[in-house]
Each structure stands twice: as structure tokens, then as C-alpha cells.
Amino acid sequence: MALKFLSLGSGSSGNSYFLGTESYGVLFDAGLPCSQIKDGLNSHRIGLEQIMGLFVTHDHADHIKAVGALSSKYNIPVYATQPVLDGINSSFFVREKLDATSRRPIEKNAPIQIKDFSITAFNVPHDASDCVGYLVEYEQQKWVLATDVGLIDDEVGKHLKMANHLVIEANYDAEMLFSGNYPDVLKERITNGKGHLCNSDTANFLAANFSSHLRNIWLCHLSGENNRAELAYCTVREALDFRSINIENVNLVTLERAAPSKMYVLE
């Protein structure tokens, strides 16, 4: 069965992603209203009863607001590291807490099998109680999610380079951030290595580590105040062009912040 990817929303107002096949799938993060997640899936004839698990990257509100509600209403187990599970249940933004039967603690670098998916969490630098990215292996394909990344260290870089299909943060444009109205303390938080990736960081990594096995690049978690979709796209494209990298066979897309993407069939 073909592997399919759908972004339901990707930005500071809420994040959630679907990865699956015709018969089942998993969600990554649930920072959007339940109704929005349900409607986005239903528009592609995917029912929440097909969701085998909800994997959480970290416990910031824009990634967890609907975790408890989805889990309790639709009997979806929630997979996250123990600090993230604790953070979900202590969060002011999560009204429905996770009960003991829904929590599935995971360890980093320890694969979990969900039907035909092998899912591995890896450490990501970010200023949450804990933060991970995910590698999903299905048949011969590798899909990687790295959102809310303070910097691309060796651990993150190792997993990014494995991907055939890569969802990677391009949160802000440095010039827009530093010339903008954010207070200095917030600018420091974003850029201190435990905040977010800027367009040029993402672009330079992709250009320096481009591989012929890469088929899709989705730029995610764009800032509404300090970035623009065309700017993120052009920054990455120019870095690749500078190194004469031919991306004729690569799909490069910026994910919308507040709207679903199309459904991508991954090959």
C-alpha cells in the first residue's frame, strides 16, 4: 500500500500531521482543535478510527492542545517520552488529561512497531520539558519529522540525512526577526540554540547534505510574524542552486500555517 502524508496545519497557531496508508495511519502532534483535525482527515476519507497512535514531539501548547480530547473521544493511544507525557497532563492548555490507559511512554532511539511502521524518536534541542523528532520506516521508505529545532546537532543531522521524505522546520528569516517588534528576550529565546531554525540554517544544511535518495522536502512551522512562505522557499532553493544541485526529481514545498496541505502519495 502507498504511503501518504498530510499536513493538517503547521505553525505557531497549531500543528498536526498524518502519515498512513489506505487502511491505517498515525498522527504526529495535535495542537489544532479536534474538529479541525477530524474534518481535515474526513476530507480524504480517513476516519479517526483508523488512527493507531498519536505521537507527540514536545509539550508546547501548539502541539498538544487536542491530545487529551482526541485520545479520550476516539480511544487513541498517545506515545511520547515520559517528561512530555507529564508535561501534557500539567499543561493549562490541555483540558482533558491523559489517563493511565492511554499513555504510552517511549524511549529515544528505541523503535516502536505500529503495524508496518517502525517509528523511532530521536532527541531534538528545544526549550520544552523534552523534545523529539521522529523517523518512520515503511517498506523501503524513510519519513522524518524535525520541528521546533534549536539547532541541527549530530543527532538531528544523522536522522535528517536518512530521509527520503523530510518535514523540516524553517521557522524564521533572521533579518525579519531582528528588525521586527519582538522584545529582545524573545529574539534571544528563538535564536539561542534551543529555539527554532531560521531559513538559512535549514537551507545550508540541505545544500551541504543533499542526497539523491531525497524525494520530498516540506518546510514546516513557519512563523507568521518573521517569515513568508515564498521567502523560506527561495532561501532553500537558492542554496541548492548555488551548489548546482538538481532538484528536478524533488518536491520542495512550504506547508501552510493554518490550512491543510494536499494529500501527498510518497514513492
Side-chain angles (χ1 to χ4, degrees):
M1 292 185 288
L3 187 62
K4 297 183 177 183
F5 168 66
L6 171 68
S7 171
L8 297 159
S10 182
S12 56
S13 57
N15 301 269
S16 190
Y17 308 99
F18 166 83
L19 188 72
T21 69
E22 288 292 334
S23 60
Y24 69 91
V26 294
L27 289 174
F28 294 89
D29 290 340
L32 301 166
C34 271
S35 58
Q36 190 172 335
I37 293 173
K38 183 179 180 180
D39 290 347
L41 293 172
N42 283 345
S43 68
H44 294 279
R45 300 180 181 177
I46 301 166
L48 282 163
E49 69 279 359
Q50 295 173 251
I51 303 301
M52 299 291 101
L54 169 53
F55 289 78
V56 183
T57 59
H58 63 292
D59 58 359
H60 284 165
D62 56 325
H63 296 260
I64 64 170
K65 280 182 278 191
V67 167
L70 276 176
S71 178
S72 63
K73 289 180 182 178
Y74 301 102
N75 196 31
I76 300 172
V78 176
Y79 295 83
T81 64
Q82 190 62 57
V84 173
L85 290 172
D86 294 341
I88 291 169
N89 271 2
S90 64
S91 174
F92 172 82
F93 298 99
V94 179
R95 294 183 179 180
E96 296 189 45
K97 306 305 181 183
L98 299 173
D99 61 31
T101 61
S102 65
R103 296 194 294 268
R104 301 288 193 278
I106 63 174
E107 299 290 336
K108 297 170 187 175
N109 301 308
I112 295 167
Q113 199 70 30
I114 303 286
K115 290 188 175 288
D116 296 319
F117 288 175
S118 176
I119 303 175
T120 305
F122 57 91
N123 189 66
V124 169
H126 191 57
D127 59 359
S129 61
D130 198 9
C131 188
V132 300
Y134 287 101
L135 161 68
V136 181
E137 298 175 86
Y138 173 75
E139 297 180 345
Q140 304 303 312
Q141 301 187 71
K142 293 180 174 66
W143 177 92
V144 174
L145 169 66
T147 181
D148 294 64
V149 182
L151 60 85
I152 301 176
D153 59 13
D154 289 345
E155 176 77 356
V156 175
K158 177 180 75 173
H159 287 87
L160 299 184
K161 287 184 277 189
M162 296 170 67
N164 307 120
H165 315 289
L166 177 59
V167 186
I168 183 171
E169 180 177 62
N171 178 255
Y172 67 96
D173 172 75
E175 183 176 347
M176 288 183 68
L177 175 66
F178 287 113
S179 64
N181 295 323
Y182 275 14
D184 289 345
V185 64
L186 184 52
K187 292 177 182 179
E188 166 65 17
R189 183 216 155 209
I190 291 169
T191 60
N192 69 2
K194 293 185 178 179
H196 294 278
L197 284 182
C198 72
N199 295 341
S200 58
D201 288 337
T202 301
N204 291 336
F205 177 86
L206 291 170
N209 296 279
F210 187 83
S211 172
S212 60
H213 64 243
L214 191 57
R215 288 289 173 265
N216 289 284
I217 303 168
W218 296 280
L219 305 177
C220 73
H221 209 285
L222 274 66
S223 168
E225 294 78 20
N226 301 305
N227 211 350
R228 297 191 307 274
E230 63 273 18
L231 182 56
Y233 177 93
C234 288
T235 302
V236 172
R237 185 61 191 261
E238 287 169 4
L240 295 171
D241 288 346
F242 181 77
R243 290 179 177 251
S244 300
I245 295 171
N246 182 0
I247 63 167
E248 181 179 334
N249 296 318
V250 179
N251 185 42
L252 174 62
V253 175
T254 53
L255 294 175
E256 295 217 28
R257 300 180 64 256
S261 69
K262 73 174 190 178
M263 180 69 81
Y264 294 92
V265 179
L266 311 185
E267 298 176 336

